Amino acid sequence: MTGIDRVELAYLDQFLGGDSLLFGLVQTGLGYLLLDRRGCCDLSNLYHGQGEMPRGRWFSRNALRHRAQSWVRRRAIVRRPAPMIAGLLRKLPDPCTYWNVGHSNLGADTLARMVGLKVVVLIHDTIPLDHPQYCRPDQIVPFAHKIAAVARYADWVIHISQDARTKTELHFAKHGRVPQGVTAHLGVTGVAPRPMPQTGPYFVALGTIEPRKNHALLFDIWETQPDLPQLHVIGAKGWAAPAVFAQMDRLIARNAVIHHPNLDDAGAMGLLSGARALVFPSLAEGYGLPPIEAASLGVPIIANNLPVLREVMANKGGVDLAVYLDVTDSYAWIETITAFCHQGGSRPNRFRPNTWSQHFKTVLTTLD
């Protein structure tokens, strides 16, 4: 799951834990599907590995999507084409709140149909508008339209950091309306690390391999410094980085880099827990979950000097385990990584990340 997927699942589980009426609204290519509480529970169970989607007869890159839509159609209590969804929503109990905590289905065509409902939206970041060079070209204009629709139709916006809120509300202001907002750091669900035996020191980079994550800086360092310990790269290959992929392949052939494209959460945390440090030269983040996960394990972080990382890593009663470096200063990165090669020993876990209980207490108390 992506970071946004994890947030959506946390909200789904939170609402399933209550006793209020709960419905799930799913948009497909054929219109909308409405799930009742039982259907939402089945969806949560599927995410948690309890249940199985039907085997597909499709042979395309969208095969998984076809299977998922087939699965959810079987559990839908109502199906409606898009033009008829407004009439369906008017029949829901009053008062009713529409929660959208991902970045999907945020267009004006969807939000405008939420007549009579309180609309609450979570914006994770505005990276496509602030740093379009790090995003797929086909994402930028659609995302701009989503921000415009949220500015017009949302009653409340949840921001996951103060840094993200400042940037998001600047974009809202350009559209003439800034919805009410609440800032609540995301929760971190602890995953028990699965032991991943390794010999000797090593470093870990965690995240999809794409331009924004700046693996190129790390690969340049490992290519020019052959005496460094191995770098374990956890994450799938993303987009627009053929030269970076080729460089990684060369380092893999030298055994300088080990790539883990499909490591599960327990394995990733196990590998991370034994690292000398997490190296995180990301160029832009809305939150920055990998450094928080590393710090919660007592693992030091060598990271780009992003304001949002300083914000979310600041924790009362804990310590800041991050060393912040300028990504344009490769010498400083080499020097710091080399210094960590000679450090070891026990590292007490003194960093206490935000919990989902704290997140929901802030959000639900504010919106009540």
Side-chain angles (χ1 to χ4, degrees), residues 53-83:
M53 285 194 298
R55 295 186 178 276
R57 295 191 297 269
W58 302 276
F59 299 92
S60 73
R61 64 178 183 175
N62 293 321
L64 184 59
R65 175 175 294 183
H66 289 310
R67 292 172 59 197
Q69 291 187 1
S70 175
W71 182 94
V72 79
R73 282 193 192 97
R74 297 180 185 182
R75 288 158 177 80
I77 58 172
V78 177
R79 306 177 187 182
R80 290 286 188 275

PDB file of all heavy atoms in Angstrom, residues 53-83:
ATOM      1  N   MET A  53      -9.905 -11.594  -3.462  1.00  0.00           N
ATOM      2  CA  MET A  53     -10.640 -11.107  -4.617  1.00  0.00           C
ATOM      3  C   MET A  53     -10.810 -12.245  -5.627  1.00  0.00           C
ATOM      4  O   MET A  53     -10.019 -13.184  -5.647  1.00  0.00           O
ATOM      5  CB  MET A  53      -9.902  -9.939  -5.265  1.00  0.00           C
ATOM      6  CG  MET A  53     -10.014  -8.651  -4.493  1.00  0.00           C
ATOM      7  SD  MET A  53      -9.490  -7.221  -5.462  1.00  0.00           S
ATOM      8  CE  MET A  53      -7.774  -7.613  -5.770  1.00  0.00           C
ATOM      9  N   PRO A  54     -11.839 -12.163  -6.478  1.00  0.00           N
ATOM     10  CA  PRO A  54     -12.021 -13.216  -7.491  1.00  0.00           C
ATOM     11  C   PRO A  54     -10.854 -13.228  -8.464  1.00  0.00           C
ATOM     12  O   PRO A  54     -10.227 -12.206  -8.727  1.00  0.00           O
ATOM     13  CB  PRO A  54     -13.323 -12.801  -8.183  1.00  0.00           C
ATOM     14  CG  PRO A  54     -13.416 -11.328  -7.966  1.00  0.00           C
ATOM     15  CD  PRO A  54     -12.844 -11.099  -6.602  1.00  0.00           C
ATOM     16  N   ARG A  55     -10.586 -14.411  -8.975  1.00  0.00           N
ATOM     17  CA  ARG A  55      -9.541 -14.519  -9.995  1.00  0.00           C
ATOM     18  C   ARG A  55     -10.026 -13.835 -11.270  1.00  0.00           C
ATOM     19  O   ARG A  55     -11.184 -13.953 -11.649  1.00  0.00           O
ATOM     20  CB  ARG A  55      -9.200 -15.975 -10.283  1.00  0.00           C
ATOM     21  CG  ARG A  55      -8.577 -16.671  -9.085  1.00  0.00           C
ATOM     22  CD  ARG A  55      -8.111 -18.074  -9.455  1.00  0.00           C
ATOM     23  NE  ARG A  55      -7.482 -18.715  -8.314  1.00  0.00           N
ATOM     24  CZ  ARG A  55      -6.215 -18.545  -7.968  1.00  0.00           C
ATOM     25  NH1 ARG A  55      -5.445 -17.760  -8.695  1.00  0.00           N
ATOM     26  NH2 ARG A  55      -5.716 -19.156  -6.914  1.00  0.00           N
ATOM     27  N   GLY A  56      -9.124 -13.109 -11.905  1.00  0.00           N
ATOM     28  CA  GLY A  56      -9.517 -12.337 -13.073  1.00  0.00           C
ATOM     29  C   GLY A  56      -9.339 -13.093 -14.372  1.00  0.00           C
ATOM     30  O   GLY A  56      -8.510 -13.989 -14.484  1.00  0.00           O
ATOM     31  N   ARG A  57     -10.143 -12.708 -15.357  1.00  0.00           N
ATOM     32  CA  ARG A  57      -9.993 -13.257 -16.702  1.00  0.00           C
ATOM     33  C   ARG A  57      -9.439 -12.194 -17.638  1.00  0.00           C
ATOM     34  O   ARG A  57      -9.480 -12.313 -18.844  1.00  0.00           O
ATOM     35  CB  ARG A  57     -11.350 -13.746 -17.229  1.00  0.00           C
ATOM     36  CG  ARG A  57     -11.922 -14.907 -16.454  1.00  0.00           C
ATOM     37  CD  ARG A  57     -13.122 -15.502 -17.189  1.00  0.00           C
ATOM     38  NE  ARG A  57     -14.206 -14.547 -17.298  1.00  0.00           N
ATOM     39  CZ  ARG A  57     -15.178 -14.437 -16.386  1.00  0.00           C
ATOM     40  NH1 ARG A  57     -15.167 -15.214 -15.321  1.00  0.00           N
ATOM     41  NH2 ARG A  57     -16.142 -13.561 -16.554  1.00  0.00           N
ATOM     42  N   TRP A  58      -8.931 -11.098 -17.015  1.00  0.00           N
ATOM     43  CA  TRP A  58      -8.442  -9.991 -17.820  1.00  0.00           C
ATOM     44  C   TRP A  58      -6.928 -10.082 -17.955  1.00  0.00           C
ATOM     45  O   TRP A  58      -6.234 -10.499 -17.037  1.00  0.00           O
ATOM     46  CB  TRP A  58      -8.831  -8.664 -17.185  1.00  0.00           C
ATOM     47  CG  TRP A  58     -10.310  -8.531 -17.023  1.00  0.00           C
ATOM     48  CD1 TRP A  58     -11.218  -8.107 -17.943  1.00  0.00           C
ATOM     49  CD2 TRP A  58     -11.054  -8.843 -15.846  1.00  0.00           C
ATOM     50  NE1 TRP A  58     -12.484  -8.128 -17.422  1.00  0.00           N
ATOM     51  CE2 TRP A  58     -12.412  -8.577 -16.134  1.00  0.00           C
ATOM     52  CE3 TRP A  58     -10.711  -9.333 -14.579  1.00  0.00           C
ATOM     53  CZ2 TRP A  58     -13.428  -8.781 -15.208  1.00  0.00           C
ATOM     54  CZ3 TRP A  58     -11.720  -9.526 -13.657  1.00  0.00           C
ATOM     55  CH2 TRP A  58     -13.057  -9.252 -13.971  1.00  0.00           C
ATOM     56  N   PHE A  59      -6.452  -9.692 -19.100  1.00  0.00           N
ATOM     57  CA  PHE A  59      -5.014  -9.714 -19.344  1.00  0.00           C
ATOM     58  C   PHE A  59      -4.598  -8.316 -19.799  1.00  0.00           C
ATOM     59  O   PHE A  59      -4.412  -8.059 -20.980  1.00  0.00           O
ATOM     60  CB  PHE A  59      -4.663 -10.764 -20.398  1.00  0.00           C
ATOM     61  CG  PHE A  59      -5.035 -12.163 -19.981  1.00  0.00           C
ATOM     62  CD1 PHE A  59      -6.267 -12.695 -20.325  1.00  0.00           C
ATOM     63  CD2 PHE A  59      -4.172 -12.913 -19.209  1.00  0.00           C
ATOM     64  CE1 PHE A  59      -6.612 -13.968 -19.923  1.00  0.00           C
ATOM     65  CE2 PHE A  59      -4.506 -14.192 -18.815  1.00  0.00           C
ATOM     66  CZ  PHE A  59      -5.737 -14.723 -19.164  1.00  0.00           C
ATOM     67  N   SER A  60      -4.511  -7.415 -18.854  1.00  0.00           N
ATOM     68  CA  SER A  60      -4.111  -6.051 -19.137  1.00  0.00           C
ATOM     69  C   SER A  60      -3.490  -5.475 -17.890  1.00  0.00           C
ATOM     70  O   SER A  60      -3.540  -6.067 -16.815  1.00  0.00           O
ATOM     71  CB  SER A  60      -5.312  -5.203 -19.570  1.00  0.00           C
ATOM     72  OG  SER A  60      -6.139  -4.921 -18.450  1.00  0.00           O
ATOM     73  N   ARG A  61      -2.898  -4.297 -18.021  1.00  0.00           N
ATOM     74  CA  ARG A  61      -2.268  -3.680 -16.862  1.00  0.00           C
ATOM     75  C   ARG A  61      -3.302  -3.239 -15.838  1.00  0.00           C
ATOM     76  O   ARG A  61      -2.955  -2.926 -14.704  1.00  0.00           O
ATOM     77  CB  ARG A  61      -1.425  -2.486 -17.290  1.00  0.00           C
ATOM     78  CG  ARG A  61      -2.206  -1.331 -17.897  1.00  0.00           C
ATOM     79  CD  ARG A  61      -1.272  -0.190 -18.238  1.00  0.00           C
ATOM     80  NE  ARG A  61      -1.989   0.973 -18.754  1.00  0.00           N
ATOM     81  CZ  ARG A  61      -1.403   2.120 -19.037  1.00  0.00           C
ATOM     82  NH1 ARG A  61      -0.100   2.260 -18.863  1.00  0.00           N
ATOM     83  NH2 ARG A  61      -2.109   3.143 -19.501  1.00  0.00           N
ATOM     84  N   ASN A  62      -4.605  -3.199 -16.225  1.00  0.00           N
ATOM     85  CA  ASN A  62      -5.665  -2.843 -15.295  1.00  0.00           C
ATOM     86  C   ASN A  62      -6.391  -4.063 -14.743  1.00  0.00           C
ATOM     87  O   ASN A  62      -7.494  -3.942 -14.217  1.00  0.00           O
ATOM     88  CB  ASN A  62      -6.677  -1.913 -15.991  1.00  0.00           C
ATOM     89  CG  ASN A  62      -6.081  -0.563 -16.322  1.00  0.00           C
ATOM     90  OD1 ASN A  62      -5.317  -0.015 -15.544  1.00  0.00           O
ATOM     91  ND2 ASN A  62      -6.423  -0.032 -17.485  1.00  0.00           N
ATOM     92  N   ALA A  63      -5.771  -5.239 -14.859  1.00  0.00           N
ATOM     93  CA  ALA A  63      -6.433  -6.462 -14.419  1.00  0.00           C
ATOM     94  C   ALA A  63      -6.798  -6.410 -12.938  1.00  0.00           C
ATOM     95  O   ALA A  63      -7.890  -6.819 -12.541  1.00  0.00           O
ATOM     96  CB  ALA A  63      -5.540  -7.679 -14.700  1.00  0.00           C
ATOM     97  N   LEU A  64      -5.888  -5.901 -12.110  1.00  0.00           N
ATOM     98  CA  LEU A  64      -6.166  -5.834 -10.677  1.00  0.00           C
ATOM     99  C   LEU A  64      -7.343  -4.913 -10.400  1.00  0.00           C
ATOM    100  O   LEU A  64      -8.188  -5.199  -9.550  1.00  0.00           O
ATOM    101  CB  LEU A  64      -4.923  -5.370  -9.926  1.00  0.00           C
ATOM    102  CG  LEU A  64      -5.044  -5.340  -8.399  1.00  0.00           C
ATOM    103  CD1 LEU A  64      -5.372  -6.719  -7.858  1.00  0.00           C
ATOM    104  CD2 LEU A  64      -3.750  -4.820  -7.771  1.00  0.00           C
ATOM    105  N   ARG A  65      -7.420  -3.796 -11.124  1.00  0.00           N
ATOM    106  CA  ARG A  65      -8.549  -2.875 -10.944  1.00  0.00           C
ATOM    107  C   ARG A  65      -9.859  -3.553 -11.333  1.00  0.00           C
ATOM    108  O   ARG A  65     -10.869  -3.406 -10.641  1.00  0.00           O
ATOM    109  CB  ARG A  65      -8.331  -1.610 -11.761  1.00  0.00           C
ATOM    110  CG  ARG A  65      -9.518  -0.648 -11.723  1.00  0.00           C
ATOM    111  CD  ARG A  65      -9.229   0.655 -12.433  1.00  0.00           C
ATOM    112  NE  ARG A  65      -8.196   1.399 -11.739  1.00  0.00           N
ATOM    113  CZ  ARG A  65      -7.792   2.606 -12.119  1.00  0.00           C
ATOM    114  NH1 ARG A  65      -8.313   3.185 -13.183  1.00  0.00           N
ATOM    115  NH2 ARG A  65      -6.853   3.239 -11.439  1.00  0.00           N
ATOM    116  N   HIS A  66      -9.862  -4.298 -12.428  1.00  0.00           N
ATOM    117  CA  HIS A  66     -11.068  -5.007 -12.848  1.00  0.00           C
ATOM    118  C   HIS A  66     -11.510  -5.995 -11.770  1.00  0.00           C
ATOM    119  O   HIS A  66     -12.700  -6.111 -11.457  1.00  0.00           O
ATOM    120  CB  HIS A  66     -10.816  -5.752 -14.168  1.00  0.00           C
ATOM    121  CG  HIS A  66     -10.685  -4.855 -15.355  1.00  0.00           C
ATOM    122  ND1 HIS A  66     -11.593  -3.866 -15.653  1.00  0.00           N
ATOM    123  CD2 HIS A  66      -9.741  -4.793 -16.329  1.00  0.00           C
ATOM    124  CE1 HIS A  66     -11.225  -3.244 -16.770  1.00  0.00           C
ATOM    125  NE2 HIS A  66     -10.101  -3.781 -17.183  1.00  0.00           N
ATOM    126  N   ARG A  67     -10.564  -6.712 -11.209  1.00  0.00           N
ATOM    127  CA  ARG A  67     -10.889  -7.680 -10.153  1.00  0.00           C
ATOM    128  C   ARG A  67     -11.455  -6.979  -8.931  1.00  0.00           C
ATOM    129  O   ARG A  67     -12.431  -7.438  -8.329  1.00  0.00           O
ATOM    130  CB  ARG A  67      -9.649  -8.478  -9.772  1.00  0.00           C
ATOM    131  CG  ARG A  67      -9.137  -9.426 -10.852  1.00  0.00           C
ATOM    132  CD  ARG A  67      -7.805 -10.031 -10.452  1.00  0.00           C
ATOM    133  NE  ARG A  67      -7.913 -10.778  -9.206  1.00  0.00           N
ATOM    134  CZ  ARG A  67      -6.862 -11.132  -8.454  1.00  0.00           C
ATOM    135  NH1 ARG A  67      -5.644 -10.779  -8.839  1.00  0.00           N
ATOM    136  NH2 ARG A  67      -7.041 -11.803  -7.355  1.00  0.00           N
ATOM    137  N   ALA A  68     -10.847  -5.851  -8.559  1.00  0.00           N
ATOM    138  CA  ALA A  68     -11.320  -5.113  -7.383  1.00  0.00           C
ATOM    139  C   ALA A  68     -12.737  -4.586  -7.605  1.00  0.00           C
ATOM    140  O   ALA A  68     -13.584  -4.657  -6.711  1.00  0.00           O
ATOM    141  CB  ALA A  68     -10.360  -3.967  -7.071  1.00  0.00           C
ATOM    142  N   GLN A  69     -13.008  -4.055  -8.797  1.00  0.00           N
ATOM    143  CA  GLN A  69     -14.346  -3.529  -9.065  1.00  0.00           C
ATOM    144  C   GLN A  69     -15.376  -4.646  -9.105  1.00  0.00           C
ATOM    145  O   GLN A  69     -16.511  -4.472  -8.647  1.00  0.00           O
ATOM    146  CB  GLN A  69     -14.344  -2.733 -10.369  1.00  0.00           C
ATOM    147  CG  GLN A  69     -13.550  -1.436 -10.268  1.00  0.00           C
ATOM    148  CD  GLN A  69     -13.691  -0.558 -11.497  1.00  0.00           C
ATOM    149  OE1 GLN A  69     -14.400  -0.888 -12.440  1.00  0.00           O
ATOM    150  NE2 GLN A  69     -13.007   0.572 -11.491  1.00  0.00           N
ATOM    151  N   SER A  70     -14.987  -5.815  -9.624  1.00  0.00           N
ATOM    152  CA  SER A  70     -15.895  -6.964  -9.609  1.00  0.00           C
ATOM    153  C   SER A  70     -16.203  -7.375  -8.174  1.00  0.00           C
ATOM    154  O   SER A  70     -17.352  -7.676  -7.826  1.00  0.00           O
ATOM    155  CB  SER A  70     -15.255  -8.130 -10.374  1.00  0.00           C
ATOM    156  OG  SER A  70     -16.050  -9.295 -10.278  1.00  0.00           O
ATOM    157  N   TRP A  71     -15.184  -7.360  -7.333  1.00  0.00           N
ATOM    158  CA  TRP A  71     -15.357  -7.723  -5.918  1.00  0.00           C
ATOM    159  C   TRP A  71     -16.316  -6.767  -5.233  1.00  0.00           C
ATOM    160  O   TRP A  71     -17.221  -7.184  -4.507  1.00  0.00           O
ATOM    161  CB  TRP A  71     -13.988  -7.696  -5.239  1.00  0.00           C
ATOM    162  CG  TRP A  71     -13.991  -8.103  -3.790  1.00  0.00           C
ATOM    163  CD1 TRP A  71     -13.755  -9.348  -3.286  1.00  0.00           C
ATOM    164  CD2 TRP A  71     -14.214  -7.249  -2.656  1.00  0.00           C
ATOM    165  NE1 TRP A  71     -13.825  -9.338  -1.912  1.00  0.00           N
ATOM    166  CE2 TRP A  71     -14.111  -8.056  -1.497  1.00  0.00           C
ATOM    167  CE3 TRP A  71     -14.491  -5.896  -2.506  1.00  0.00           C
ATOM    168  CZ2 TRP A  71     -14.279  -7.543  -0.213  1.00  0.00           C
ATOM    169  CZ3 TRP A  71     -14.673  -5.374  -1.231  1.00  0.00           C
ATOM    170  CH2 TRP A  71     -14.558  -6.193  -0.106  1.00  0.00           C
ATOM    171  N   VAL A  72     -16.157  -5.467  -5.449  1.00  0.00           N
ATOM    172  CA  VAL A  72     -16.976  -4.489  -4.730  1.00  0.00           C
ATOM    173  C   VAL A  72     -18.401  -4.453  -5.278  1.00  0.00           C
ATOM    174  O   VAL A  72     -19.357  -4.194  -4.537  1.00  0.00           O
ATOM    175  CB  VAL A  72     -16.307  -3.096  -4.761  1.00  0.00           C
ATOM    176  CG1 VAL A  72     -16.519  -2.391  -6.088  1.00  0.00           C
ATOM    177  CG2 VAL A  72     -16.801  -2.226  -3.608  1.00  0.00           C
ATOM    178  N   ARG A  73     -18.586  -4.728  -6.562  1.00  0.00           N
ATOM    179  CA  ARG A  73     -19.941  -4.749  -7.130  1.00  0.00           C
ATOM    180  C   ARG A  73     -20.793  -5.818  -6.464  1.00  0.00           C
ATOM    181  O   ARG A  73     -22.000  -5.642  -6.269  1.00  0.00           O
ATOM    182  CB  ARG A  73     -19.889  -4.999  -8.643  1.00  0.00           C
ATOM    183  CG  ARG A  73     -19.513  -3.778  -9.469  1.00  0.00           C
ATOM    184  CD  ARG A  73     -19.793  -3.985 -10.945  1.00  0.00           C
ATOM    185  NE  ARG A  73     -19.174  -2.917 -11.720  1.00  0.00           N
ATOM    186  CZ  ARG A  73     -17.994  -3.004 -12.313  1.00  0.00           C
ATOM    187  NH1 ARG A  73     -17.308  -4.142 -12.240  1.00  0.00           N
ATOM    188  NH2 ARG A  73     -17.503  -1.989 -12.988  1.00  0.00           N
ATOM    189  N   ARG A  74     -20.171  -6.932  -6.113  1.00  0.00           N
ATOM    190  CA  ARG A  74     -20.916  -8.023  -5.478  1.00  0.00           C
ATOM    191  C   ARG A  74     -21.422  -7.632  -4.091  1.00  0.00           C
ATOM    192  O   ARG A  74     -22.346  -8.254  -3.569  1.00  0.00           O
ATOM    193  CB  ARG A  74     -20.030  -9.260  -5.356  1.00  0.00           C
ATOM    194  CG  ARG A  74     -19.586  -9.836  -6.697  1.00  0.00           C
ATOM    195  CD  ARG A  74     -18.718 -11.064  -6.502  1.00  0.00           C
ATOM    196  NE  ARG A  74     -18.186 -11.551  -7.766  1.00  0.00           N
ATOM    197  CZ  ARG A  74     -17.429 -12.648  -7.890  1.00  0.00           C
ATOM    198  NH1 ARG A  74     -17.124 -13.347  -6.802  1.00  0.00           N
ATOM    199  NH2 ARG A  74     -16.982 -13.034  -9.057  1.00  0.00           N
ATOM    200  N   ARG A  75     -20.811  -6.624  -3.492  1.00  0.00           N
ATOM    201  CA  ARG A  75     -21.173  -6.227  -2.125  1.00  0.00           C
ATOM    202  C   ARG A  75     -21.955  -4.920  -2.090  1.00  0.00           C
ATOM    203  O   ARG A  75     -22.367  -4.479  -1.017  1.00  0.00           O
ATOM    204  CB  ARG A  75     -19.899  -6.104  -1.281  1.00  0.00           C
ATOM    205  CG  ARG A  75     -19.311  -7.472  -0.969  1.00  0.00           C
ATOM    206  CD  ARG A  75     -17.839  -7.400  -0.621  1.00  0.00           C
ATOM    207  NE  ARG A  75     -17.336  -8.726  -0.265  1.00  0.00           N
ATOM    208  CZ  ARG A  75     -17.001  -9.651  -1.146  1.00  0.00           C
ATOM    209  NH1 ARG A  75     -17.103  -9.391  -2.436  1.00  0.00           N
ATOM    210  NH2 ARG A  75     -16.578 -10.838  -0.742  1.00  0.00           N
ATOM    211  N   ALA A  76     -22.150  -4.298  -3.230  1.00  0.00           N
ATOM    212  CA  ALA A  76     -22.849  -3.011  -3.266  1.00  0.00           C
ATOM    213  C   ALA A  76     -24.333  -3.194  -2.972  1.00  0.00           C
ATOM    214  O   ALA A  76     -24.970  -4.133  -3.460  1.00  0.00           O
ATOM    215  CB  ALA A  76     -22.655  -2.351  -4.625  1.00  0.00           C
ATOM    216  N   ILE A  77     -24.881  -2.294  -2.166  1.00  0.00           N
ATOM    217  CA  ILE A  77     -26.318  -2.334  -1.891  1.00  0.00           C
ATOM    218  C   ILE A  77     -27.092  -1.470  -2.883  1.00  0.00           C
ATOM    219  O   ILE A  77     -28.290  -1.647  -3.061  1.00  0.00           O
ATOM    220  CB  ILE A  77     -26.623  -1.883  -0.447  1.00  0.00           C
ATOM    221  CG1 ILE A  77     -26.102  -0.466  -0.193  1.00  0.00           C
ATOM    222  CG2 ILE A  77     -26.035  -2.869   0.549  1.00  0.00           C
ATOM    223  CD1 ILE A  77     -26.548   0.104   1.143  1.00  0.00           C
ATOM    224  N   VAL A  78     -26.381  -0.544  -3.534  1.00  0.00           N
ATOM    225  CA  VAL A  78     -27.001   0.327  -4.537  1.00  0.00           C
ATOM    226  C   VAL A  78     -25.979   0.605  -5.626  1.00  0.00           C
ATOM    227  O   VAL A  78     -24.792   0.786  -5.337  1.00  0.00           O
ATOM    228  CB  VAL A  78     -27.472   1.669  -3.923  1.00  0.00           C
ATOM    229  CG1 VAL A  78     -28.052   2.572  -5.007  1.00  0.00           C
ATOM    230  CG2 VAL A  78     -28.506   1.447  -2.834  1.00  0.00           C
ATOM    231  N   ARG A  79     -26.455   0.636  -6.882  1.00  0.00           N
ATOM    232  CA  ARG A  79     -25.615   1.036  -8.008  1.00  0.00           C
ATOM    233  C   ARG A  79     -26.332   2.152  -8.745  1.00  0.00           C
ATOM    234  O   ARG A  79     -27.532   2.057  -9.011  1.00  0.00           O
ATOM    235  CB  ARG A  79     -25.379  -0.135  -8.962  1.00  0.00           C
ATOM    236  CG  ARG A  79     -24.810  -1.386  -8.294  1.00  0.00           C
ATOM    237  CD  ARG A  79     -24.674  -2.511  -9.313  1.00  0.00           C
ATOM    238  NE  ARG A  79     -24.285  -3.772  -8.683  1.00  0.00           N
ATOM    239  CZ  ARG A  79     -24.058  -4.907  -9.350  1.00  0.00           C
ATOM    240  NH1 ARG A  79     -24.166  -4.915 -10.669  1.00  0.00           N
ATOM    241  NH2 ARG A  79     -23.715  -6.009  -8.707  1.00  0.00           N
ATOM    242  N   ARG A  80     -25.586   3.207  -9.057  1.00  0.00           N
ATOM    243  CA  ARG A  80     -26.200   4.339  -9.744  1.00  0.00           C
ATOM    244  C   ARG A  80     -25.217   4.906 -10.773  1.00  0.00           C
ATOM    245  O   ARG A  80     -24.033   5.037 -10.491  1.00  0.00           O
ATOM    246  CB  ARG A  80     -26.557   5.457  -8.764  1.00  0.00           C
ATOM    247  CG  ARG A  80     -27.714   5.142  -7.829  1.00  0.00           C
ATOM    248  CD  ARG A  80     -29.050   5.186  -8.571  1.00  0.00           C
ATOM    249  NE  ARG A  80     -30.160   5.079  -7.626  1.00  0.00           N
ATOM    250  CZ  ARG A  80     -30.644   3.927  -7.177  1.00  0.00           C
ATOM    251  NH1 ARG A  80     -30.105   2.781  -7.577  1.00  0.00           N
ATOM    252  NH2 ARG A  80     -31.660   3.916  -6.338  1.00  0.00           N
ATOM    253  N   PRO A  81     -25.715   5.285 -11.948  1.00  0.00           N
ATOM    254  CA  PRO A  81     -24.854   6.049 -12.869  1.00  0.00           C
ATOM    255  C   PRO A  81     -24.567   7.409 -12.265  1.00  0.00           C
ATOM    256  O   PRO A  81     -25.323   7.918 -11.426  1.00  0.00           O
ATOM    257  CB  PRO A  81     -25.703   6.151 -14.135  1.00  0.00           C
ATOM    258  CG  PRO A  81     -27.110   5.963 -13.677  1.00  0.00           C
ATOM    259  CD  PRO A  81     -27.055   5.040 -12.501  1.00  0.00           C
ATOM    260  N   ALA A  82     -23.481   8.018 -12.694  1.00  0.00           N
ATOM    261  CA  ALA A  82     -23.031   9.272 -12.092  1.00  0.00           C
ATOM    262  C   ALA A  82     -24.111  10.348 -12.036  1.00  0.00           C
ATOM    263  O   ALA A  82     -24.266  11.018 -11.004  1.00  0.00           O
ATOM    264  CB  ALA A  82     -21.790   9.783 -12.831  1.00  0.00           C
ATOM    265  N   PRO A  83     -24.924  10.567 -13.090  1.00  0.00           N
ATOM    266  CA  PRO A  83     -25.915  11.658 -13.027  1.00  0.00           C
ATOM    267  C   PRO A  83     -26.976  11.465 -11.945  1.00  0.00           C
ATOM    268  O   PRO A  83     -27.640  12.424 -11.554  1.00  0.00           O
ATOM    269  CB  PRO A  83     -26.549  11.644 -14.426  1.00  0.00           C
ATOM    270  CG  PRO A  83     -25.528  10.991 -15.302  1.00  0.00           C
ATOM    271  CD  PRO A  83     -24.883   9.965 -14.427  1.00  0.00           C
TER     272      PRO A  83
END
